[in-house]
Amino acid sequence: MKLTNNPQSRKNDIVIQEIHGEVLIYDLRKNRALCLNETSAMVWQECDGSKSVAEISQNISKKLKANVSEDFVWLALEQLKKDDLLQKGEEFVTPLNGLNRREIIKRIG
């Protein structure tokens, strides 16, 4: 297991369709469909293994012309990991570990 703060999205065994600002992903391994909203899709697309969470946050902020915090990116990464949309074998250190949902929302909001 490799510890990294430069997450990489999974590109194998999935079918990707972009529709109206959302990204639909069909996971061929698990035989299920996922729908990423615009901002989650942007986080997933920015995860190329070379960018840090801070760089991802800055890039998305520029694209949206609004402040997107690193905490928001971390939250999206945790969900992407749960949905098996990040490369296997890579673990990232998150400042949100140990926080409950209410604390996370308060921190991001």
Side-chain angles (χ1 to χ4, degrees):
M1 188 180 322
K2 186 173 126 184
L3 189 63
T4 182
N5 276 333
N6 295 355
Q8 185 171 4
S9 58
R10 185 178 128 215
K11 302 291 184 191
N12 296 331
D13 298 321
I14 59 174
V15 177
I16 304 163
Q17 180 71 44
E18 294 185 39
I19 300 174
H20 305 294
E22 295 181 335
V23 174
L24 301 175
I25 299 175
Y26 187 76
D27 187 336
L28 298 170
R29 291 183 197 163
K30 296 187 177 186
N31 199 29
R32 69 180 181 147
L34 300 161
C35 181
L36 303 180
N37 65 25
E38 182 180 14
T39 49
S40 293
M42 292 174 105
V43 171
W44 184 74
Q45 291 165 336
E46 287 285 325
C47 292
D48 61 6
S50 70
K51 295 179 190 117
S52 68
V53 170
E55 291 170 316
I56 292 170
S57 172
Q58 291 169 358
N59 289 349
I60 294 172
S61 293
K62 286 177 190 173
K63 288 177 185 176
L64 295 176
K65 295 182 176 118
N67 185 36
V68 175
S69 71
E70 288 181 34
D71 287 337
F72 177 85
V73 174
W74 282 118
L75 184 61
L77 287 171
E78 285 187 355
Q79 187 60 50
L80 292 170
K81 183 179 177 183
K82 285 179 190 174
D83 290 335
D84 195 26
L85 293 177
L86 298 177
Q87 288 289 4
K88 292 273 188 205
E90 292 187 3
E91 291 294 324
F92 46 83
V93 179
T94 172
L96 303 179
N97 283 350
L99 298 178
N100 64 38
R101 184 180 173 139
R102 181 174 289 187
E103 292 168 328
I104 292 171
I105 298 300
K106 190 184 293 186
R107 187 170 170 166
I108 292 173

